[in-house]
Amino acid sequence: MHRWRVPLGYADLRDLTNPRQAFDVVSICSPTKSHFNDALRALDLSPQLIFCEKPICADIDLSEELVRRCEQANVQLAVNHNRRWDPDIVRLKSELIGGLWGRVRSANCKYNKGVLNNGSHMIDLLHYLLGPLTFLYAGSPLYDYSNEDPSVPAMLTSASSIPICLNCSDASDYSLFELELVTERGVVSMEDGGLKWRFRTADSSPQFPGYKALLPSTSVDGHYLHTMTAAVQNIYAAITSGQTLASTGETALEAQRLCHVISKGASKAVCTPQS
């Protein structure tokens, strides 16, 4: 409150002396295990919108229930899958739709720190760029975050049969969140979580006549750090002029459902040595 010059605040929602005072937006930034009860308290305040950290809840059933309750209360639910507000991601989606890169041939993804905790960001990003995904199979889980939420490698496919490889690393080594799209006309790489972008376009090979090759890469700074500003702008427009939210309870549920399937697939991939 001191840092951002907020004049009125409480240590706990239960400290509100007038629980019906006007709150347009309630932001849920508490630990995941607290989201469900905190969001129910927020609904009691009758806001126009709840902005919830991802995942909505750790339990898929509770996430489904919370989305349903928000719909019943006519309260909009935005979920912080923040790359949907990343200007570079928005532009890339437009370029893919417009055919600038031609057809997408494959997607290679790298992440760590839990298939739900961080992997849901990647799954949601893939949904946003490539559309609905289908689970094929999962590898053995890597417990680099928690026993309840391991990182899991997996193979997926899009509705247009784009093969997607989801790889993971150990979060104790370093943070990793990167996406590479191999397309008809080149390779697009999001690096360092979106802080860097690398592009390699295809052209005639200078060494081998009649063949095409990838040209040397060009690298540019990304605008990932602007995502929260864009999120606030979208939320403001949603409650003042009816603008569509970029990330909703439904889009977050789509990602969590697939994360749940991947996690279940990983449990089947674990081999127990025979005695």
Side-chain angles (χ1 to χ4, degrees):
M1 290 173 60
H2 176 74
R3 170 66 178 85
W4 297 105
R5 298 187 295 278
V6 177
L8 181 65
Y10 305 91
D12 193 293
L13 285 176
R14 289 170 292 193
D15 295 336
L16 283 170
T17 55
N18 179 14
R20 287 293 175 181
Q21 59 185 305
F23 291 98
D24 294 318
V25 178
V26 177
S27 183
I28 307 293
C29 311
S30 52
T32 301
K33 64 182 179 180
S34 303
H35 284 184
F36 186 76
N37 288 331
D38 288 347
L40 292 185
R41 289 180 185 172
L43 284 174
D44 289 337
L45 303 176
S46 300
Q48 295 188 57
L49 184 147
I50 292 175
F51 186 25
C52 186
E53 262 301 332
K54 58 80 207 167
I56 303 172
C57 301
D59 183 282
I60 184 67
D61 292 332
L62 289 181
S63 293
E64 300 266 9
E65 173 70 9
L66 192 53
V67 170
R68 184 183 65 81
R69 292 206 186 192
C70 287
E71 290 175 350
Q72 289 176 338
N74 197 29
V75 174
Q76 296 190 75
L77 176 61
V79 179
N80 194 23
H81 280 134
N82 55 4
R83 285 171 180 82
R84 285 179 178 259
W85 290 290
D86 186 327
D88 301 308
I89 298 292
V90 174
R91 183 175 61 253
L92 176 59
K93 181 183 175 89
S94 178
E95 291 175 352
L96 292 174
I97 292 174
L100 180 65
W101 291 96
R103 288 170 289 184
V104 177
R105 303 298 193 188
S106 64
N108 304 305
C109 318
K110 293 169 282 188
Y111 82 101
N112 55 26
K113 205 173 180 182
V115 67
L116 184 58
N117 180 61
N118 275 354
S120 63
H121 269 304
M122 186 63 75
I123 297 299
D124 181 73
L125 175 56
L126 291 167
H127 275 158
Y128 180 71
L129 293 176
L130 304 179
L133 306 177
T134 299
F135 169 77
L136 297 179
Y137 58 86
S140 297
L142 171 64
Y143 293 92
D144 66 330
Y145 177 59
S146 74
N147 290 334
E148 293 76 28
D149 186 22
S151 297
V152 181
M155 287 297 299
L156 314 168
T157 186
S158 73
S160 56
S161 300
I162 298 170
I164 299 164
C165 185
L166 190 66
N167 291 309
C168 53
S169 68
D170 196 315
S172 64
D173 296 332
Y174 44 79
S175 296
L176 184 65
F177 191 90
E178 298 188 346
L179 169 65
E180 177 187 77
L181 294 181
V182 178
T183 77
E184 185 179 359
R185 297 173 184 165
V187 177
V188 182
S189 301
M190 180 194 74
E191 300 176 349
D192 199 11
L195 294 174
K196 290 286 185 181
W197 286 83
R198 191 177 304 276
F199 305 95
R200 301 172 69 194
T201 55
D203 207 342
S204 298
S205 171
Q207 291 86 16
F208 304 102
Y211 288 88
K212 283 189 174 182
L214 291 172
L215 299 177
S217 65
T218 58
S219 180
V220 299
D221 290 335
H223 298 85
Y224 175 68
L225 297 181
H226 297 274
T227 57
M228 192 56 65
T229 299
V232 171
Q233 291 171 341
N234 183 210
I235 287 170
Y236 177 78
I239 64 176
T240 58
S241 60
Q243 186 180 97
T244 300
L245 287 169
S247 181
T248 67
E250 285 299 331
T251 61
L253 277 179
E254 289 180 7
Q256 186 169 358
R257 289 180 188 124
L258 185 51
C259 289
H260 183 71
V261 171
I262 292 172
S263 184
K264 290 294 184 184
S267 64
K268 296 178 182 178
V270 177
C271 296
T272 303
Q274 301 264 333
S275 57

